[in-house]
Amino acid sequence: MRVAFIGLGDIGEPMASHLARDPFDLVVWNRTAAKADEFARRHKARVAATPAEAVREANVVITCLPSSIEVEAVLHGENGMLDALQKGTVLIDCTSGDPPTSRSIAAELGGRGVEFIDAPVSGGTSAAKAGALTVMWGGEITVFERVRPVVEAFGKKIVHAGPVGAGDALKAVNNALLAVHILSTAEGLAVLVKAGVDPKVALDVINASSGRSNSSENLIPQRVITRAFPRTFRLALLEKDIGIAAVMAEDLDVKTPLISLTAERFHEAREKLGEQADHVEAVKMVEEENRLEIR
Ligand code: NDP
């Protein structure tokens, strides 16, 4: 099966590595060509010079880009994929995209005999390396079954969320919850530091109690208390996801003040910390505002 992979970023690169082996015949394209060259040095893959060249002979194309804006750009831009995609090809978009754009891409491609599935992932870079991501996909079951082996190469829990756009919707809400948990846990711990409680003791109790979350169980102990703050998922991308959830809520007329406030706070954090900061670094904003460290 000929597979083209577009976007070798923090999560795209480990995902693509699982496709660089039989029965797949992998071709990769990345905007910064040096990353694609480096990938091909370490894995069984060919490098394409343009997105069009990458997809010309592919049965399956995977995109893993920051947002739906870049997916549109790679589709419609110079040397873009659109005119090179063959009838019968399936485009699996693993970007955490936005539902309306995914629906419009699916409609445009459908008119050309090309199928589209939105298939955002969760589990982070460690699950991507292990080939054990959760994949939430939207689209037609018959189309998905044709490409299931490709998704199973990097996915473990694979769930049909509904029609095209449903995967994106579910991913945006999941990540809005992640953002709420990071900030609310940091705020709670800031209060406890000021109250004289050791944050390690606080986490020990919270993680045996009802206030726990992935943030309290994993992110804060492993990345904040240690002051390691590794870059695995850019804060700018999490801000984008909460923004998608906030717009969905507005469009659907659902009142979500907590999500809106968290979107504002992550916007602030992005302005302060920049494009390359990791999402967990949002905790630093809470620390600075309160002149303390959670350690
Ligand atoms: P990165 O920012 O690490 O990588 C983005 C990729 O997109 C790079 O290959 C980059 O190329 C490419 N790119 C950026 N802009 C353009 C453009 N205008 N045209 C063409 N290519 C472009 O992102 P991640 O890999 O972390 O994330 C990818 C997607 O997966 C996002 O939607 C994210 O929300 C989602 N995701 C990420 C997770 C994570 O843990 N990192 C977890 C779950 C989902 P270049 O190398 O040139 O910069």
Side-chain angles (χ1 to χ4, degrees):
M1 195 182 265
R2 287 190 297 269
V3 181
F5 202 106
I6 310 283
L8 301 170
D10 286 341
I11 200 136
E13 196 270 346
M15 286 167 69
S17 70
H18 298 290
L19 296 163
R21 61 182 65 124
D22 292 340
F24 309 112
D25 175 12
L26 181 66
V27 54
V28 295
W29 179 81
N30 193 69
R31 180 182 62 175
T32 305
K35 277 195 208 167
D37 293 340
E38 173 59 20
F39 184 89
R41 257 195 297 280
R42 288 184 292 111
H43 302 283
K44 185 172 157 278
R46 287 171 292 121
V47 176
T50 63
E53 186 188 314
V55 308
R56 194 158 282 130
E57 295 185 347
N59 309 111
V60 180
V61 175
I62 299 182
T63 41
C64 191
L65 298 168
S67 74
S68 296
I69 295 169
E70 289 80 18
V71 179
E72 287 270 29
V74 165
L75 202 57
H76 295 120
E78 205 185 334
N79 296 313
M81 301 190 295
L82 190 64
D83 290 329
L85 284 163
Q86 300 297 309
K87 248 194 181 129
T89 297
V90 181
L91 171 54
I92 308 173
D93 184 20
C94 290
T95 306
S96 304
D98 67 83
T101 309
S102 285
R103 284 194 288 269
S104 106
I105 293 174
E108 181 179 23
L109 294 183
R112 293 169 169 249
V114 175
E115 309 285 355
F116 179 90
I117 282 170
D118 54 305
V121 299
S122 66
T125 51
S126 54
K129 282 180 193 139
L133 285 165
T134 295
V135 184
M136 55 217 88
W137 63 275
E140 293 287 333
I141 292 174
T142 48
V143 174
F144 186 81
E145 287 309 325
R146 279 161 47 200
V147 299
R148 179 179 281 280
V150 175
V151 178
E152 281 178 345
F154 53 78
K156 188 170 167 199
K157 185 176 175 73
I158 298 169
V159 179
H160 185 209
V164 168
D168 289 336
L170 182 42
K171 175 68 189 176
V173 169
N174 176 75
N175 278 21
L177 299 182
L178 162 66
V180 168
H181 293 159
I182 289 172
L183 283 185
S184 59
T185 309
E187 288 183 8
L189 290 172
V191 173
L192 289 170
V193 168
K194 279 268 169 86
V197 179
D198 182 335
K200 295 193 247 348
V201 171
L203 284 167
D204 187 32
V205 171
I206 289 167
N207 288 333
S209 308
S210 46
R212 70 186 181 276
S213 64
N214 182 54
S215 295
S216 68
E217 288 182 320
N218 295 306
L219 297 179
I220 293 184
Q222 291 163 17
R223 302 177 179 210
V224 177
I225 298 288
T226 60
R227 313 311 288 172
F229 292 104
R231 210 308 273 293
T232 62
F233 175 41
R234 291 191 298 119
L235 189 152
L237 294 175
L238 183 53
E239 190 217 339
K240 173 255 317 177
D241 294 332
I242 317 164
I244 294 170
V247 169
M248 274 172 53
E250 207 177 308
D251 290 350
L252 295 166
D253 200 19
V254 181
K255 307 277 169 281
T256 55
L258 203 50
I259 289 177
S260 301
L261 179 59
T262 307
E264 277 171 36
R265 292 287 281 155
F266 266 83
H267 182 70
E268 238 180 294
R270 180 182 181 167
E271 304 245 287
K272 281 196 177 119
L273 297 159
E275 294 302 304
Q276 298 308 320
D278 184 72
H279 65 305
V280 179
E281 290 185 68
V283 171
K284 288 181 181 169
M285 180 176 74
V286 176
E287 290 181 328
E288 273 166 28
E289 287 166 349
N290 294 295
R291 294 195 192 81
L292 53 83
E293 280 190 351
I294 298 165
R295 61 189 312 159

